[in-house]
Amino acid sequence: MPAPASPPPPGQPGRQPTAEEVRAYYAARPSPLVAATGIVLDDAGLVLLLTPSYKEGLELPGGTVEATETPEEGLARELGEELGLDVPVGRLLAVDARAPGELGRSLVAHVHLVGPLSAEQAASIRFADGEVAEANWHTPEEACRLLPERIAPRLRAGLAALYAGSIAHLVNGVPQPGSPAALDPERRAALEHANALDSASHRANRPKAFTAAHMLLTDRSGRVLLVQPAYGAGGRWHLPGGGVDSDLGESPRDGARREVREELGLEVEPGRLLAVNWASHAPYPARVAFTFDGGILDDSTLGQIKLPPEELREWRLAGQEELGTLVRPKLRRRIESCLTALREGTGPLELYAGRPWTGPGPDQAP
């Protein structure tokens, strides 16, 4: 039986197609299957794997996108149908394009972060439509080992993108040369040495580092001004400051000035650079923090501090002997190093996790 005639393609010379003809034309075009997969995490960082009731092997939650759904909508529907979950679908971690397999169709799989689920959400999982026989939590390493060969690369790449704050580009499960995440460092180095990367791909897959800028502000008695964020776990204090908007052309000095204005409502000109601190905790991006001398604030200036309530809970002044109970050890070491540089007129200091550089050693970066 011959295939039905296709409507004239939109824009065919000679006549304007109707809206129905345009819709029918695009509906008849060959296209890949689109799937939406979720990397569902709990609050301990474990990965959810499903045992289907209708086939062998384990899989990640998700399925084929239907009709006019977006991948996000399709995954949300699958989570509800398969697991009885009504949770937001998070950011895109990876895209895997696969050549036609046994079904004769190519596949584009979107991999999204879901969660971390709270203990209550994890406990609410139920097998609503009977397609899932069992659901279990595994460490990322276990999950990658247990999943079928065609699925495991998506999980590995998605987790790499999660840690890097980026996205992974896969073809048949293999990270591509320009993939911003998941490309093996040895493979990346080989491509660079062979001059096989265009400039855009080179920029995309180079390791990234976050840049922050802070000010060390003290009162007349030498106490350090600290602020407490209104977000995240309470109880910890920080120096005023934050991320440098380098994508807008902002420098660390400009960033420190802006952050103090936004956080404290004060116009303070950053003084001399006291220290540059490097902190690295693979597989997460490294962090580089510039700490500037913000000077001594008198009582009148301290009285003008106005905090943004959506960002900061409160501020306080802390003596050096109090820092150990207020800030994390790495920040305590950095503040103490900066106070020493300020007092002795030394610096700028090269710090690693708050410790001054003393030469190669087991705890020192090269």
Side-chain angles (χ1 to χ4, degrees):
M1 178 178 176
S6 297
Q12 184 184 66
R15 83 175 176 85
Q16 179 71 30
T18 66
E20 290 75 15
E21 287 174 334
V22 172
R23 190 177 300 112
Y25 173 81
Y26 283 111
R29 295 301 88 195
S31 61
L33 296 172
V34 177
T37 298
I39 297 179
V40 181
L41 302 178
D42 70 358
D43 55 10
L46 298 179
V47 179
L48 185 66
L49 297 188
L50 307 182
T51 302
S53 60
Y54 55 90
K55 63 180 181 180
E56 297 293 327
L58 300 176
E59 62 181 23
L60 294 167
T64 305
V65 176
E66 297 181 354
T68 59
E69 289 178 333
T70 64
E72 292 83 355
E73 291 169 341
L75 180 54
R77 173 183 52 75
E78 288 282 348
L79 292 171
E81 293 176 355
E82 289 184 340
L83 303 173
L85 287 175
D86 182 12
V87 293
V89 172
R91 72 178 187 86
L92 180 65
L93 297 175
V95 176
D96 186 15
R98 285 199 166 266
E102 61 184 23
L103 298 180
R105 297 283 295 277
S106 58
L107 172 73
V108 177
H110 288 231
V111 182
H112 287 265
L113 173 66
V114 178
L117 301 186
S118 66
E120 292 75 18
Q121 289 172 324
S124 73
I125 290 176
R126 54 188 174 82
F127 309 140
D129 62 3
E131 290 189 2
V132 177
E134 192 176 359
N136 292 290
W137 298 94
H138 301 270
T139 66
E141 296 77 12
E142 291 173 340
C144 289
R145 187 177 69 252
L146 293 170
L147 282 170
E149 186 177 348
R150 63 185 174 82
I151 299 177
R154 296 176 197 161
L155 175 59
R156 282 192 291 267
L159 290 173
L162 173 62
Y163 299 140
S166 191
I167 189 171
H169 171 207
L170 311 178
V171 174
N172 295 323
V174 178
Q176 296 304 288
S179 179
L183 189 65
D184 182 86
E186 291 186 4
R187 171 66 175 154
R188 182 188 70 229
L191 290 168
E192 291 176 347
H193 294 158
N195 199 28
L197 297 173
D198 59 78
S199 59
S201 295
H202 183 269
R203 288 194 304 272
N205 64 30
R206 287 301 303 167
K208 309 299 189 292
F210 296 135
T211 305
H214 303 88
M215 275 204 223
L216 184 71
L217 300 158
T218 61
D219 69 354
R220 294 185 185 278
S221 62
R223 293 178 298 175
V224 177
L225 191 149
L226 301 174
V227 293
Q228 188 177 70
Y231 49 85
R236 290 294 183 177
W237 297 77
H238 301 272
L239 287 175
V244 176
D245 292 335
S246 56
D247 58 330
L248 302 179
E250 188 176 66
S251 70
R253 188 172 290 273
D254 292 336
R257 183 189 303 107
R258 172 184 54 76
E259 286 284 346
V260 167
R261 181 193 314 118
E262 293 175 355
E263 293 187 347
L264 303 178
L266 301 178
E267 289 291 343
V268 179
E269 184 63 28
R272 71 185 183 90
L273 177 63
L274 298 175
V276 177
N277 185 75
W278 173 274
S280 181
H281 181 55
Y284 299 97
R287 294 176 178 269
V288 183
F290 292 74
T291 305
F292 296 92
D293 177 17
I296 298 172
L297 304 183
D298 57 26
D299 291 342
S300 174
T301 303
L302 290 170
Q304 298 173 30
I305 291 176
K306 183 179 295 185
L307 302 181
E310 70 283 356
E311 186 174 355
L312 298 175
R313 289 193 180 95
E314 54 182 318
W315 68 273
R316 63 166 293 169
L317 294 164
Q320 189 168 339
E321 71 282 355
E322 301 176 273
L323 294 176
T325 61
L326 296 174
V327 303
R328 298 185 185 277
K330 291 180 181 180
L331 178 56
R332 173 185 58 77
R333 294 194 295 266
R334 176 152 57 103
I335 293 175
E336 290 173 347
S337 296
C338 288
L339 287 171
T340 300
L342 190 62
R343 183 173 58 251
E344 299 179 357
T346 56
L349 299 176
E350 180 184 354
L351 305 179
Y352 289 83
R355 294 187 177 92
W357 168 252
T358 57
D363 297 324
Q364 295 274 199

